[in-house]
Amino acid sequence: MISFARFFPWAVVGAGGLYLFLAMLPVADSDSEMHLNEFARLPVVSGGRVKPFSTEANNSLLIISSRQSFKDPKGNAQPAIKWLLDAMVSNRLFKQDAALSHEVFRIENDQVLNLFELPRKPLFYRYSIDELSPRMEKFGHQVEVARNVDAKQRTLFDQKILDLENHLQLYATLANLREPRMVPPSGDSMEWHTLASSISEAAESGDPDPNTLSLFAILGSYSKQDVKGFNAELDKYQQRLAKEMPVETSKAALEAWFNDFEPFYHCIFLYIFVAILACVSWLVWREPLNRAAFWLVVLTLAVHSLALLTRMYLQGRPPVTNLYSSAVFIGWGCVTVAVVLEALFANGIGNVVGATLGAMTMLVAFHLGSSGDTLEMMEAVLDTNFWLATHVTIVTFGYVATLVAGFLGIAFILLGVATPWLNRDLFKGLSQMIYGILCFATLLSFTGTVLGGLWADYSWGRFWGWDPKENGAVLVVIWNALVLHARWGGIAKPRGIAILSVVGSMVVGWSWFGTNQLGVGLHAYGFNKELAQGLLIFWSVMGGFILLGLLPTQKWSSFGTQVGSTPPPRRPPRKRGEPPVFRGDKGSTAIRSTRR
Amino acid sequence: MDHSGIQTTPNAVPGAKPKPRPRRTNPVMMCLNAVASLRLTVVLFVFAFALVFLGTLAQVDAGNWTVVKQYFRSFFVWVPYLTLVRFGQVFLYFPKDMDVPGSFLFPGGRLLGCLLMANLLAAHATRFKFIWKRSGVLILHAGLIIMMLSEVSTSLFAVEGNMTIVASGSSNYVEVHNTVELAFVTPADSKTDDIVVVPEAMLRKGGRISSDELPVDVEVVRYLANSKLSKEPPPRDRNTATAGFGLESEAIEQKEGSGVETEQKIDTPSAYVTLYSKQDGKSLGTYLVSLRLKDQPILIDSKPYEISLRFKRAYKPYTIYLKEFHHDVYIGTDKPKNYSSVIQVIDPSRQEDREVTISMNNPLWYGGETFYQQGFLEGDTGTILQVVRNPSWFLPYLSCAMVAAGMLVHFGIYLLNFLNRRIAT
C-alpha cells in the first residue's frame, strides 16, 4: 500500500501527460482521402492579419453555428474546414450545392422560426439554407423593418433577425469567395487578394498568376471530389508557398496546429479534475491525492503557459490584448500564484483555489472566444507593445491577486463553517496567505492603474478622466487599501479579512466585466446579456459565501467546544477581539503560545 | 502583540500600534489623535469607494465631464436615486422605464480628498516614527500626497486646446474649446490680418464696450451661453437683430453645461450685439453672432471687416504646416491601424525648422507644450492636434514611482521577515 501511495501521484501525472500528448499530436491525413488538414494549414488574410484557413473556418462556423463542427446528412460530425470548402464551391464557378443542406444556422427564437414556418428542433436548433430559402422574401422584409429601428429601441426579435441576416451575409461572402483574401501577393503587388477578384482580373488580362491557378485547381478538384487531383495540386501549392513566404506559412501551420490542439479546452477538464482530487484529498488518503493534485496542476499550468506563449508569438504582442486574452491570462496568473502558495504552505488550499479559479476563468474565456477571432488586430490607440506589456499586464495581475485573495477567503469560510478542519495551523497559514496576497494585490493594482493614467497622459495628454473602466480599476485599489488599513487598525480580524477579500473578488468582477455593461466611456465594448447574467450569478454566489462567513463563530464547525468533552459545555459568547477556540485545542482557557 | 496562541491582532506592521496608547491630557493631541485614527481612514475609504461607484453609474445619464465636476471636483453632490436604478436595470432586471424621483446628499471628491489628507498628515504627526522599517510607508504616503497635489495643480494650471490644420495648410494658433471671443478681422496686407477681439468675460457682463483698439463701440444686447439656431427667422417685429445673419435665423436659449466630452458636444454660445460707429456714434445695426455661424462681412467707416463669435484663439510664435495626413487601416477591413500627421514646425523665435511625424501614442513635445494626434477632418482632409500645456505633468510620474517603491519596500520587509521565519521553522 505504501509503495502504491508513493506511485499514485506519478501515475496520475503520467496519465494526464499522455492525455495531453495525444491531444497535441498533429492530425494526420490518410492518402486515400483528401488532405483537408493540410489545406486547413494554408495561410490566408482576413480581419487584417495572416491566419490559416483553419482559423477562418472555425471562427466563421462558430459565429454562425456556435460550434466548430457540423453534421453531414448521415449524422456524422465533420470539421469546420469541410463546411468552409463546401461553401467555397457552392457558387457559379464550381456549381456544387452540398453546403446548402448543411444544418448550421442556429435559430432558437420562436418568432423567427414562425417567420420561416419551421418546426423547433429542441437541443439542436440548427437549420440549413435549403430550409430557410422558401421564406427568404418575408425575411428580407423583416430585416428592412429591424434596420429602420433605432439600435437602442430594438426588440429581441429585431435583434435576432439582424443576427441571422449577419450570419447569412457571412456565409454569402465566403461562398462567393469575397472573403478571406486567399491569393498571396505575387509579382510587384504586395497585397493579398480575394479569389473572386483575382479570377475576374485574370479573365480580363488573360494572364492568371500561378497562385490563382493553383487555388482554382484545388477548389475545382474538391468540387469534383477528385482525391488525387486535390492532393497533388495542394502539394504543389504548399511547396511554392513555403519557398515564397516561409514565415507566414510556418506561422499559419502553427496556428492551425494550435486550433486542433485546443489547449485551453483540455486545461478546463484538467483543472476541474485537479479541483476534485484536491477536495477529495481532504476526506480520504490525504497525502497521495494532494501530491497528485499538485503535480497535475503544475503539468496543466505548463501546458497553459505554453499555449499562452504560442498566442503571444502568433500575435507578436504581450499576453493581454482583448477581453478573451485577459481571461486566459488571469487564469494563468491565478494558477501560478496558487502553485507558489501550495509550494510554500503545502496545506492543499493552493491546489483547490488554483484549480477552481483556473477552471472558472477558462470557462469564461471559452465563452468569450465564441464571438470571433481571438487574435484580432488592435485598434490604433492600443497599438503599443510597451504600454500593453506594462499597464495591461500589471493591472491584470492586480485583478489576479485580488481574486486569489477572495478565493482563499472562501476556503477560510467554508473550512471554518462546514468542517472541523480549520485548526490552529491552517487558521494561521490561511490568514497569512490572504494578507500576503492582499499586499501584492494592492501594489499591483495601484501600479497598474496609475500606469494606465501615465499611458493616457503620454498618448493623449490626459492623466485621469474618471472613465468607467478607470473607475473600476481604482475601485479595486481603494478596496484593497481599505482591507489592509482595516487589518492594521485592528478593525477586522482574520475572519473579517477573509470576508472582506470575498467582497474584493466581487469588485474585480465589476471592474473586469461590469463596467463594460454600462455602455459608456472610452473602454466600453458594448452590452453583453450573457456576461451580465454571469456576473449576477457570480455576485450572488459570492454574496452567499459572505453571509456564511458572517455566521456567529459559535456556529462554525471548527470553533466552539473541546473535542471529547461530553456533553459539550456551553461556551459563553466570545467577546469582541477575543481569540476563537478551536475544536482541536486542549482546554479553552490556557492557550499555548505558538510564538517561538 | 498579545500572547494568546493564535494571532488575532496583526503582525507588527508599520502603520498601526495595537497597544492602547497612553492617554494624553493635551486637548490638541487628543483632537489630533482622533483625526489620525485608522477607523476614520477606513470610513473615508468606504465613502471614496461608494463615490467612485456612484460616479461611474452616473455616467449612464450624464456626460463624463459633468460627472467629474459634480462628483469628483466638488465638496458635496446630490446623487439622484435614478443612478442606483440604472444598476438595477443593467444587472437586476429592473423595468427599462422605471423612474424614481429625488436624490440624496453625498460627500464629493474634494471633501473626501481633504479629509483623507488631514487623516494622513495627522497620522504622521502622531503615530509614525522615522525608523527604517517604516520607510516604505513614509515614501508611499508622500507619493500619495504628491498625487493629490498634482490633481489640484492640473485642474488649476493645465491648458488644453486644439489645432486644426487642413492638408497642405498651416496654423499658428490653438483654439481653447471652453471659451469664446468676438473677433473683428480686417486685412492688413496681402498676407496678414489685423485682429481685435472682445473676450467672453466682457460679453457675459453685457453693456457697452468701448476701446481705442476696437473699430466700433459694442453694446451687448443679449448673451446666450448655450443656444440653438433656428432655421426660420422670428417675425420681424420680435427680432432683436436688424442686420446680418440674424435676419435669417434666431438664437434660442439652451441649458448650459451638459458638455459631454466623449461625444464631443460643446455648448454653442450666441450673442446679439449692436455696433456703433466711432465717428458719429450712429448704430450700424444689431447683429446675431454665434459659434455656429460663419464670418459676417460688415463695412465699418468704409473699411471691410468680418465679425464672428469664435473659440478663443491663442496665437503662437511658431507655425505648423501639415505636409501629409495618413489614416491607415488593416488590410481588407476598415479598422484603423494608425493615424499620423507629417508636420513642419517653423519657429523664427527659436530658429527652429524641422519635420516631425505625430501619430497615436507618439506625441511631439515642443516649447513646453505637447501635441497629440487627436482626430481628423472628414474625408481625411486635415488633422486635429490636441495641444496641452501642463506644468505639473511630471508629478504623476514621480508619485507613481514613489508609491510603487514605497509599497515594494514595505511589503518586501514583511515578505523577508515571513520567509525568514519559515526557513527558521
Side-chain angles (χ1 to χ4, degrees), chain B residues 211-254:
Chain B
S211 163
D212 291 342
E213 307 202 12
L214 281 171
V216 284
D217 283 356
V218 180
E219 188 183 348
V220 184
V221 182
R222 208 165 145 226
Y223 181 82
L224 303 95
N226 190 18
S227 65
K228 194 172 78 179
L229 292 182
S230 70
K231 282 180 188 154
E232 296 281 311
R236 213 157 241 282
D237 52 327
R238 281 208 292 114
N239 196 350
T240 323
T242 59
F245 295 159
L247 297 177
E248 292 149 35
S249 179
E250 185 189 11
I252 300 158
E253 188 140 30
Q254 298 286 306

Short mmCIF file of all heavy atoms in Angstrom, two decimals, chain B residues 211-254:
data_model
loop_
_atom_site.label_atom_id
_atom_site.label_comp_id
_atom_site.label_asym_id
_atom_site.label_seq_id
_atom_site.Cartn_x
_atom_site.Cartn_y
_atom_site.Cartn_z
N SER B 211 -13.37 100.77 -26.66
CA SER B 211 -11.92 100.64 -26.54
C SER B 211 -11.28 101.32 -27.74
O SER B 211 -11.86 101.35 -28.83
CB SER B 211 -11.51 99.17 -26.50
OG SER B 211 -10.14 99.06 -26.78
N ASP B 212 -10.08 101.86 -27.54
CA ASP B 212 -9.38 102.53 -28.63
C ASP B 212 -9.05 101.54 -29.74
O ASP B 212 -8.97 101.89 -30.90
CB ASP B 212 -8.08 103.17 -28.13
CG ASP B 212 -8.40 104.36 -27.23
OD1 ASP B 212 -9.55 104.84 -27.31
OD2 ASP B 212 -7.51 104.77 -26.46
N GLU B 213 -8.84 100.30 -29.35
CA GLU B 213 -8.40 99.31 -30.34
C GLU B 213 -9.54 98.80 -31.19
O GLU B 213 -9.35 98.35 -32.31
CB GLU B 213 -7.71 98.16 -29.63
CG GLU B 213 -6.60 98.65 -28.72
CD GLU B 213 -5.57 97.59 -28.41
OE1 GLU B 213 -5.58 96.54 -29.06
OE2 GLU B 213 -4.76 97.84 -27.51
N LEU B 214 -10.76 98.85 -30.64
CA LEU B 214 -11.91 98.36 -31.41
C LEU B 214 -12.30 99.36 -32.49
O LEU B 214 -12.26 100.57 -32.25
CB LEU B 214 -13.10 98.14 -30.47
CG LEU B 214 -13.11 96.86 -29.64
CD1 LEU B 214 -14.24 96.92 -28.60
CD2 LEU B 214 -13.30 95.65 -30.53
N PRO B 215 -12.72 98.87 -33.65
CA PRO B 215 -13.12 99.80 -34.71
C PRO B 215 -14.48 100.43 -34.43
O PRO B 215 -14.82 101.42 -35.03
CB PRO B 215 -13.18 98.89 -35.94
CG PRO B 215 -13.39 97.53 -35.41
CD PRO B 215 -12.72 97.48 -34.08
N VAL B 216 -15.26 99.80 -33.53
CA VAL B 216 -16.59 100.30 -33.20
C VAL B 216 -16.81 100.20 -31.70
O VAL B 216 -16.03 99.54 -31.00
CB VAL B 216 -17.70 99.46 -33.88
CG1 VAL B 216 -17.82 99.78 -35.34
CG2 VAL B 216 -17.47 97.99 -33.64
N ASP B 217 -17.89 100.81 -31.20
CA ASP B 217 -18.34 100.54 -29.84
C ASP B 217 -19.33 99.39 -29.92
O ASP B 217 -20.14 99.33 -30.85
CB ASP B 217 -19.03 101.77 -29.24
CG ASP B 217 -18.00 102.80 -28.81
OD1 ASP B 217 -16.79 102.48 -28.92
OD2 ASP B 217 -18.39 103.90 -28.39
N VAL B 218 -19.24 98.49 -28.95
CA VAL B 218 -20.09 97.30 -28.99
C VAL B 218 -21.04 97.33 -27.80
O VAL B 218 -20.61 97.51 -26.66
CB VAL B 218 -19.23 96.01 -28.92
CG1 VAL B 218 -20.13 94.78 -28.95
CG2 VAL B 218 -18.22 95.98 -30.04
N GLU B 219 -22.33 97.16 -28.08
CA GLU B 219 -23.26 97.02 -26.96
C GLU B 219 -23.85 95.62 -27.00
O GLU B 219 -24.43 95.20 -28.01
CB GLU B 219 -24.38 98.05 -27.06
CG GLU B 219 -25.23 98.02 -25.79
CD GLU B 219 -26.41 98.98 -25.85
OE1 GLU B 219 -26.46 99.82 -26.75
OE2 GLU B 219 -27.28 98.85 -24.97
N VAL B 220 -23.66 94.87 -25.91
CA VAL B 220 -24.18 93.51 -25.88
C VAL B 220 -25.64 93.56 -25.45
O VAL B 220 -25.96 93.91 -24.32
CB VAL B 220 -23.37 92.63 -24.89
CG1 VAL B 220 -23.87 91.19 -24.94
CG2 VAL B 220 -21.90 92.68 -25.21
N VAL B 221 -26.54 93.26 -26.39
CA VAL B 221 -27.96 93.30 -26.08
C VAL B 221 -28.34 92.07 -25.28
O VAL B 221 -29.06 92.14 -24.28
CB VAL B 221 -28.78 93.36 -27.38
CG1 VAL B 221 -30.27 93.45 -27.07
CG2 VAL B 221 -28.31 94.53 -28.24
N ARG B 222 -27.82 90.91 -25.73
CA ARG B 222 -28.16 89.66 -25.05
C ARG B 222 -27.04 88.67 -25.31
O ARG B 222 -26.52 88.59 -26.42
CB ARG B 222 -29.47 89.13 -25.65
CG ARG B 222 -30.24 88.30 -24.68
CD ARG B 222 -31.66 88.11 -25.17
NE ARG B 222 -32.06 86.77 -24.77
CZ ARG B 222 -32.68 85.91 -25.58
NH1 ARG B 222 -32.97 86.24 -26.81
NH2 ARG B 222 -33.01 84.71 -25.14
N TYR B 223 -26.65 87.94 -24.25
CA TYR B 223 -25.62 86.90 -24.42
C TYR B 223 -26.21 85.56 -24.01
O TYR B 223 -26.76 85.43 -22.91
CB TYR B 223 -24.38 87.21 -23.59
CG TYR B 223 -23.29 86.17 -23.75
CD1 TYR B 223 -22.42 86.23 -24.83
CD2 TYR B 223 -23.14 85.13 -22.83
CE1 TYR B 223 -21.44 85.27 -25.00
CE2 TYR B 223 -22.17 84.16 -23.00
CZ TYR B 223 -21.31 84.24 -24.08
OH TYR B 223 -20.35 83.29 -24.27
N LEU B 224 -26.13 84.55 -24.88
CA LEU B 224 -26.67 83.22 -24.56
C LEU B 224 -25.50 82.25 -24.44
O LEU B 224 -24.78 82.02 -25.41
CB LEU B 224 -27.63 82.75 -25.65
CG LEU B 224 -28.82 83.66 -25.98
CD1 LEU B 224 -28.50 84.57 -27.14
CD2 LEU B 224 -30.04 82.83 -26.28
N ALA B 225 -25.33 81.69 -23.24
CA ALA B 225 -24.18 80.82 -23.00
C ALA B 225 -24.27 79.54 -23.83
O ALA B 225 -23.26 78.98 -24.24
CB ALA B 225 -24.06 80.47 -21.53
N ASN B 226 -25.49 79.08 -24.06
CA ASN B 226 -25.67 77.91 -24.93
C ASN B 226 -26.96 78.12 -25.70
O ASN B 226 -27.96 78.57 -25.14
CB ASN B 226 -25.74 76.62 -24.11
CG ASN B 226 -25.68 75.39 -25.00
OD1 ASN B 226 -25.27 75.49 -26.17
ND2 ASN B 226 -26.09 74.26 -24.48
N SER B 227 -26.92 77.82 -26.98
CA SER B 227 -28.09 78.13 -27.79
C SER B 227 -28.24 77.17 -28.95
O SER B 227 -27.34 76.37 -29.23
CB SER B 227 -27.97 79.55 -28.32
OG SER B 227 -26.87 79.61 -29.21
N LYS B 228 -29.42 77.29 -29.58
CA LYS B 228 -29.70 76.50 -30.76
C LYS B 228 -30.13 77.51 -31.82
O LYS B 228 -30.82 78.47 -31.49
CB LYS B 228 -30.84 75.54 -30.43
CG LYS B 228 -31.05 74.44 -31.41
CD LYS B 228 -32.08 73.46 -30.86
CE LYS B 228 -33.49 74.00 -31.02
NZ LYS B 228 -34.52 73.11 -30.54
N LEU B 229 -29.68 77.32 -33.06
CA LEU B 229 -30.07 78.28 -34.09
C LEU B 229 -31.27 77.73 -34.86
O LEU B 229 -31.24 76.59 -35.33
CB LEU B 229 -28.91 78.52 -35.05
CG LEU B 229 -27.69 79.25 -34.45
CD1 LEU B 229 -26.65 79.47 -35.51
CD2 LEU B 229 -28.10 80.57 -33.82
N SER B 230 -32.31 78.55 -34.96
CA SER B 230 -33.49 78.10 -35.71
C SER B 230 -33.23 78.29 -37.20
O SER B 230 -32.39 79.08 -37.60
CB SER B 230 -34.71 78.91 -35.29
OG SER B 230 -34.54 80.23 -35.77
N LYS B 231 -33.97 77.52 -37.99
CA LYS B 231 -33.80 77.65 -39.43
C LYS B 231 -34.64 78.80 -39.98
O LYS B 231 -34.38 79.33 -41.04
CB LYS B 231 -34.17 76.34 -40.12
CG LYS B 231 -33.04 75.32 -39.98
CD LYS B 231 -33.37 74.00 -40.65
CE LYS B 231 -32.29 72.99 -40.31
NZ LYS B 231 -32.78 71.63 -40.38
N GLU B 232 -35.69 79.14 -39.24
CA GLU B 232 -36.58 80.22 -39.66
C GLU B 232 -36.30 81.46 -38.83
O GLU B 232 -36.05 81.35 -37.62
CB GLU B 232 -38.03 79.79 -39.43
CG GLU B 232 -38.46 78.61 -40.25
CD GLU B 232 -38.79 79.01 -41.69
OE1 GLU B 232 -39.53 79.99 -41.86
OE2 GLU B 232 -38.27 78.34 -42.61
N PRO B 233 -36.36 82.65 -39.40
CA PRO B 233 -36.21 83.86 -38.58
C PRO B 233 -37.49 84.11 -37.80
O PRO B 233 -38.56 83.66 -38.21
CB PRO B 233 -35.99 84.96 -39.62
CG PRO B 233 -36.63 84.44 -40.86
CD PRO B 233 -36.56 82.95 -40.82
N PRO B 234 -37.41 84.81 -36.66
CA PRO B 234 -38.63 85.16 -35.92
C PRO B 234 -39.36 86.26 -36.70
O PRO B 234 -38.78 86.88 -37.59
CB PRO B 234 -38.08 85.69 -34.61
CG PRO B 234 -36.71 86.18 -34.92
CD PRO B 234 -36.20 85.36 -36.05
N PRO B 235 -40.65 86.50 -36.35
CA PRO B 235 -41.36 87.60 -37.02
C PRO B 235 -40.59 88.92 -36.86
O PRO B 235 -39.94 89.14 -35.83
CB PRO B 235 -42.69 87.67 -36.26
CG PRO B 235 -42.78 86.43 -35.45
CD PRO B 235 -41.46 85.79 -35.37
N ARG B 236 -40.68 89.75 -37.88
CA ARG B 236 -39.86 90.95 -37.95
C ARG B 236 -39.96 91.82 -36.69
O ARG B 236 -38.95 92.32 -36.18
CB ARG B 236 -40.30 91.77 -39.16
CG ARG B 236 -39.18 92.54 -39.81
CD ARG B 236 -39.54 92.83 -41.26
NE ARG B 236 -38.60 92.24 -42.19
CZ ARG B 236 -37.42 92.74 -42.46
NH1 ARG B 236 -36.99 93.82 -41.84
NH2 ARG B 236 -36.62 92.16 -43.33
N ASP B 237 -41.20 91.95 -36.16
CA ASP B 237 -41.37 92.86 -35.01
C ASP B 237 -40.79 92.30 -33.72
O ASP B 237 -40.64 93.00 -32.74
CB ASP B 237 -42.87 93.17 -34.84
CG ASP B 237 -43.69 91.90 -34.79
OD1 ASP B 237 -43.29 90.93 -35.47
OD2 ASP B 237 -44.71 91.85 -34.07
N ARG B 238 -40.50 90.99 -33.71
CA ARG B 238 -39.94 90.42 -32.47
C ARG B 238 -38.45 90.13 -32.60
O ARG B 238 -37.84 89.62 -31.69
CB ARG B 238 -40.68 89.12 -32.11
CG ARG B 238 -42.03 89.38 -31.44
CD ARG B 238 -42.42 88.25 -30.51
NE ARG B 238 -42.73 87.01 -31.21
CZ ARG B 238 -42.00 85.90 -31.10
NH1 ARG B 238 -40.93 85.89 -30.33
NH2 ARG B 238 -42.34 84.84 -31.78
N ASN B 239 -37.88 90.40 -33.75
CA ASN B 239 -36.48 90.05 -33.96
C ASN B 239 -35.57 91.13 -33.37
O ASN B 239 -35.72 92.32 -33.65
CB ASN B 239 -36.21 89.91 -35.47
CG ASN B 239 -34.90 89.18 -35.71
OD1 ASN B 239 -34.13 88.97 -34.78
ND2 ASN B 239 -34.66 88.81 -36.95
N THR B 240 -34.64 90.70 -32.53
CA THR B 240 -33.68 91.64 -31.95
C THR B 240 -32.71 92.11 -33.02
O THR B 240 -32.26 93.25 -33.02
CB THR B 240 -32.90 90.95 -30.81
OG1 THR B 240 -33.79 90.09 -30.10
CG2 THR B 240 -32.28 91.95 -29.88
N ALA B 241 -32.35 91.18 -33.93
CA ALA B 241 -31.35 91.52 -34.94
C ALA B 241 -31.96 92.44 -36.00
O ALA B 241 -33.14 92.31 -36.35
CB ALA B 241 -30.83 90.26 -35.59
N THR B 242 -31.15 93.37 -36.50
CA THR B 242 -31.63 94.27 -37.56
C THR B 242 -30.75 94.17 -38.80
O THR B 242 -31.01 94.82 -39.80
CB THR B 242 -31.63 95.72 -37.07
OG1 THR B 242 -30.29 96.07 -36.69
CG2 THR B 242 -32.56 95.91 -35.90
N ALA B 243 -29.68 93.38 -38.71
CA ALA B 243 -28.80 93.26 -39.87
C ALA B 243 -28.08 91.91 -39.83
O ALA B 243 -28.08 91.23 -38.80
CB ALA B 243 -27.76 94.38 -39.87
N GLY B 244 -27.47 91.51 -40.91
CA GLY B 244 -26.64 90.30 -40.96
C GLY B 244 -27.45 89.02 -40.92
O GLY B 244 -28.63 88.98 -41.26
N PHE B 245 -26.79 87.95 -40.48
CA PHE B 245 -27.41 86.62 -40.47
C PHE B 245 -28.59 86.53 -39.53
O PHE B 245 -29.41 85.62 -39.63
CB PHE B 245 -26.38 85.55 -40.08
CG PHE B 245 -25.25 85.40 -41.06
CD1 PHE B 245 -24.04 84.84 -40.68
CD2 PHE B 245 -25.40 85.82 -42.39
CE1 PHE B 245 -23.01 84.69 -41.58
CE2 PHE B 245 -24.36 85.68 -43.30
CZ PHE B 245 -23.16 85.11 -42.89
N GLY B 246 -28.67 87.45 -38.58
CA GLY B 246 -29.76 87.45 -37.62
C GLY B 246 -31.11 87.63 -38.29
O GLY B 246 -32.14 87.34 -37.69
N LEU B 247 -31.11 88.11 -39.54
CA LEU B 247 -32.38 88.28 -40.26
C LEU B 247 -32.90 86.95 -40.78
O LEU B 247 -34.06 86.84 -41.15
CB LEU B 247 -32.19 89.25 -41.42
CG LEU B 247 -31.79 90.68 -41.03
CD1 LEU B 247 -31.55 91.54 -42.25
CD2 LEU B 247 -32.88 91.30 -40.14
N GLU B 248 -32.02 85.97 -40.83
CA GLU B 248 -32.44 84.67 -41.38
C GLU B 248 -32.59 83.59 -40.31
O GLU B 248 -33.05 82.49 -40.58
CB GLU B 248 -31.42 84.18 -42.42
CG GLU B 248 -31.37 85.02 -43.68
CD GLU B 248 -30.00 85.03 -44.28
OE1 GLU B 248 -29.32 83.98 -44.20
OE2 GLU B 248 -29.59 86.07 -44.82
N SER B 249 -32.14 83.90 -39.11
CA SER B 249 -32.12 82.84 -38.09
C SER B 249 -32.29 83.46 -36.72
O SER B 249 -32.09 84.66 -36.54
CB SER B 249 -30.77 82.11 -38.20
OG SER B 249 -30.71 81.11 -37.23
N GLU B 250 -32.65 82.60 -35.75
CA GLU B 250 -32.83 83.10 -34.39
C GLU B 250 -32.09 82.18 -33.42
O GLU B 250 -32.10 80.96 -33.58
CB GLU B 250 -34.31 83.12 -34.04
CG GLU B 250 -34.59 83.75 -32.68
CD GLU B 250 -36.03 83.57 -32.23
OE1 GLU B 250 -36.76 82.79 -32.86
OE2 GLU B 250 -36.42 84.20 -31.23
N ALA B 251 -31.47 82.81 -32.41
CA ALA B 251 -30.79 82.00 -31.39
C ALA B 251 -31.76 81.73 -30.26
O ALA B 251 -32.35 82.66 -29.72
CB ALA B 251 -29.57 82.74 -30.88
N ILE B 252 -31.97 80.45 -29.94
CA ILE B 252 -32.89 80.07 -28.87
C ILE B 252 -32.07 79.52 -27.71
O ILE B 252 -31.21 78.66 -27.90
CB ILE B 252 -33.89 79.01 -29.37
CG1 ILE B 252 -34.68 79.58 -30.55
CG2 ILE B 252 -34.81 78.56 -28.26
CD1 ILE B 252 -35.29 78.55 -31.44
N GLU B 253 -32.35 80.00 -26.52
CA GLU B 253 -31.55 79.64 -25.36
C GLU B 253 -31.67 78.15 -25.02
O GLU B 253 -32.74 77.56 -25.11
CB GLU B 253 -31.96 80.48 -24.15
CG GLU B 253 -31.05 80.30 -22.97
CD GLU B 253 -30.79 81.60 -22.24
OE1 GLU B 253 -31.67 82.47 -22.25
OE2 GLU B 253 -29.69 81.75 -21.66
N GLN B 254 -30.53 77.56 -24.63
CA GLN B 254 -30.49 76.15 -24.23
C GLN B 254 -29.86 76.05 -22.85
O GLN B 254 -29.16 76.95 -22.42
CB GLN B 254 -29.63 75.34 -25.22
CG GLN B 254 -30.15 75.33 -26.63
CD GLN B 254 -31.35 74.44 -26.77
OE1 GLN B 254 -31.32 73.28 -26.41
NE2 GLN B 254 -32.44 74.99 -27.29
#
